[in-house]
Amino acid sequence: MWGAATAAYQIEGAAREDGRTPSIWDTFSHTPGKVFEGHTGDVAVDHYHRFREDVRLMKELGLTAYRFSVSWPRVQPTGRGPAVQKGLDFYRALVDELLAAGIRPAVTLYHWDLPQELEDAGGWPHRATAERFAAYAGLVGDALGDRVDRWTTLNEPWCSAFLGYGSGVHAPGRTDPVAALRAAHHLNLGHGLAVQALRAALPARAEVGVSLNLHQVRPLTGTTEDLDAARRIDAVGNRIWLGPMLEGAYPEDLAADTARLTDWSFVRPADAATAQQALDFLGVNYYTPTLVSAVARVGVGSVMADGGHGGGGHSPWAGADDVVFHQPPGERTAMGWSVDASGLYDLLMRMTREYPDLPLYVTENGAAYEDAVGPDGSVDDPERVAYLHRHLEAVHRAVESGADVRGYFLWSLLDNFEWSYGYAKRFGAVHVDYATQTRTPKASAHWYARLARSGVLPDLPGA
Ligand code: FCB
């Protein structure tokens, strides 16, 4: 499956149309100082009005699958009660357009745009939000279940919990490590409840999973202290999701690491069983590896503030905020993220070892670069071609080593609203001129189209 991925708030725009109410990202982006130069998703890349053109583009690029998210406040504006017909109609029309173009839709139910009213009622730290999420999942399942076969509940719950409620660099911008841990638990619970709601609404052929941004954590040295730093980040970055969702329990070391913050009494006895629902696949999102040590060491790598998750002065790493994050040497993208495809290979192989029966999808992988339209109107992005090439090679190697990877979704189809970076970072295979909304496939899009059509990794230009 050769796909590309997007998310509602990053591309749709039409923020106040057809009954949609504000999500936490509308509120956050309209709060001065939160997003680069005050950028918002009000218009974004106007996908809400241009989706037919965008599906045509996908078809031209030979995509066989498209992963998008449903905006919760567009289909259920207050986060409660019946669905808004116009909101559902938009997604039905999008899906029909995709199916007519021979492109398989993959729906993500939650890519970070919580209805503001639910945040006002307590947000993810509050248990009722998990229940609200399941009800919303059921509504969308009922509306699209006849035509969508692939579903993910949450996208990167780590970001929702720890960037949203811990470091505050994402909406809703709270900086409370206990709230972040509570949010993490209610995201796990919400995932489980939503899987139950989807199973009740969907035909048996539907596949249901979740997309996690698993951290490929590497210790800077082999000392006991550095190995323990890596263990702690693995606990609060990865196993906090893998444990409940796939094994039915939180890891014990996580409870010990966070004991000075909370006794976890917000977890009820039956929650673990609810969070652990049989899944049809695990979606892996990967961009860069994570290099950590227990203490800063002079002269060894450069240290990244706030664990490499951008500014603010508050750590997202609840219970592990003393761990030091390092910038690995070598090439970086425009995000400052190091380019290292071995991290993707290692991650896919770890999942294969630990969960041998769970099929995998790479649901996000890609890179931002400073792309510009050339004098002849084309956009040449050799670094992105090289990035994708190396990462697809890594996926291929993982498949050859036994990983059951069913598909790959490039992040992203279009340049878009990159959260707190606004429109300053371009991840698209297709360039967007934000003043005119003109779409121009970059060289990487043409390269990916050749790959999607032939199934063969083309030679790297100049290699
Ligand atoms: C991921 C997000 C996605 C996009 C990429 C660059 O963490 O899921 O929306 O912002 O990073």
Side-chain angles (χ1 to χ4, degrees):
M1 216 178 265
W2 301 103
T6 62
Y9 191 70
Q10 297 182 273
I11 65 163
E12 284 181 3
R16 286 178 205 84
E17 277 175 55
D18 295 336
R20 183 186 176 285
T21 53
S23 76
I24 53 175
W25 268 97
D26 294 280
T27 309
F28 189 77
S29 65
H30 280 271
T31 307
K34 297 298 185 190
V35 172
F36 176 77
E37 291 190 351
H39 294 172
T40 74
D42 287 1
V43 177
V45 298
D46 197 30
H47 175 72
Y48 190 73
H49 299 115
R50 293 167 197 262
F51 70 94
R52 291 204 164 79
E53 177 192 340
D54 290 340
V55 173
R56 265 203 306 281
L57 204 54
M58 292 179 220
K59 188 171 181 181
E60 273 165 37
L61 297 178
L63 299 190
T64 60
Y66 174 56
R67 171 178 181 249
F68 62 94
S69 81
V70 171
S71 157
W72 189 345
R74 195 181 289 293
V75 309
Q76 196 192 34
T78 61
R80 290 181 181 84
V84 164
Q85 212 44 49
K86 284 205 165 160
L88 292 177
D89 287 348
F90 167 69
Y91 295 106
R92 280 206 202 97
L94 169 61
V95 166
D96 288 347
E97 202 75 15
L98 289 166
L99 292 173
I103 300 168
R104 283 184 278 184
V107 164
T108 300
L109 287 172
Y110 187 72
H111 202 127
W112 308 351
D113 44 357
L114 186 71
Q116 181 61 42
E117 284 199 34
L118 293 186
E119 174 58 23
D120 296 342
W124 284 110
H126 190 61
R127 189 176 179 93
T129 303
E131 288 150 13
R132 299 266 61 82
F133 179 57
Y136 154 72
L139 291 179
V140 183
D142 282 338
L144 301 179
D146 59 343
R147 54 199 98 179
V148 173
D149 288 343
R150 223 150 266 100
W151 296 77
T152 44
T153 54
L154 305 170
N155 176 71
E156 303 192 352
W158 184 85
C159 296
S160 300
F162 294 101
L163 301 183
Y165 295 91
S167 69
V169 299
H170 279 188
R174 288 205 241 165
T175 53
D176 172 357
V178 179
L181 291 169
R182 293 178 64 104
H185 176 60
H186 297 129
L187 285 154
N188 277 318
L189 182 65
H191 158 79
L193 293 169
V195 174
Q196 291 175 339
L198 285 175
R199 297 279 186 214
L202 300 177
R205 64 167 188 278
E207 295 179 12
V208 179
V210 63
S211 286
L212 302 177
N213 56 320
L214 296 169
H215 297 76
Q216 178 53 34
V217 191
R218 294 169 172 171
L220 185 65
T221 74
T223 62
T224 316
E225 292 76 14
D226 285 357
L227 291 173
D228 195 59
R231 177 199 59 73
R232 287 194 285 155
I233 296 305
D234 184 50
V236 73
N238 300 329
R239 288 181 288 116
I240 191 170
W241 315 108
L242 298 170
M245 290 182 185
L246 299 178
E247 297 167 35
Y250 282 98
E252 280 169 20
D253 56 336
L254 175 67
D257 294 343
T258 55
R260 67 189 157 79
L261 294 170
T262 174
D263 61 4
W264 291 77
S265 53
F266 48 82
V267 180
R268 295 188 191 162
D271 289 358
T274 307
Q276 185 198 17
Q277 296 295 317
L279 298 182
D280 301 302
F281 65 89
L282 175 66
V284 172
N285 293 359
Y286 173 85
Y287 292 90
T288 189
T290 302
L291 185 61
V292 300
S293 69
V295 288
R297 282 194 200 76
V298 183
V300 197
S302 55
V303 170
M304 296 191 290
D306 300 320
H309 282 282
H314 295 271
S315 170
W317 300 101
D321 54 4
D322 55 326
V323 170
V324 181
F325 289 74
H326 298 266
Q327 176 68 64
E331 233 176 282
R332 300 179 200 176
T333 70
M335 298 296 281
W337 298 346
S338 90
V339 178
D340 185 348
S342 73
L344 179 53
Y345 174 83
D346 291 348
L347 207 49
L348 294 171
M349 293 316 295
R350 172 182 173 186
M351 291 304 110
T352 300
R353 263 193 319 277
E354 294 183 9
Y355 309 103
D357 300 325
L358 192 59
L360 303 170
Y361 286 88
V362 176
T363 40
E364 285 183 26
N365 174 239
Y369 288 105
E370 268 148 35
D371 309 310
V373 183
D376 65 348
S378 69
V379 183
D380 200 18
D381 57 345
E383 305 99 327
R384 185 173 290 99
V385 171
Y387 180 99
L388 296 173
H389 190 108
R390 288 188 217 164
H391 287 75
L392 279 156
E393 232 163 37
V395 177
H396 182 67
R397 269 198 302 126
V399 170
E400 289 196 317
S401 315
D404 183 8
V405 185
R406 303 273 173 98
Y408 174 92
F409 292 81
L410 172 162
W411 184 272
S412 180
L413 176 68
L414 301 157
D415 288 339
N416 61 47
F417 176 82
E418 179 47 36
W419 309 113
S420 46
Y421 297 89
Y423 298 97
K425 303 293 176 194
R426 294 179 176 273
F427 274 91
V430 175
H431 181 274
V432 178
D433 177 331
Y434 295 117
T436 61
Q437 297 291 353
T438 305
R439 274 83 160 132
T440 308
K442 302 175 192 177
S444 58
H446 297 300
W447 178 90
Y448 193 64
R450 281 205 300 284
L451 174 56
R453 291 213 174 85
S454 65
V456 177
L457 209 49
D459 284 337
L460 255 191

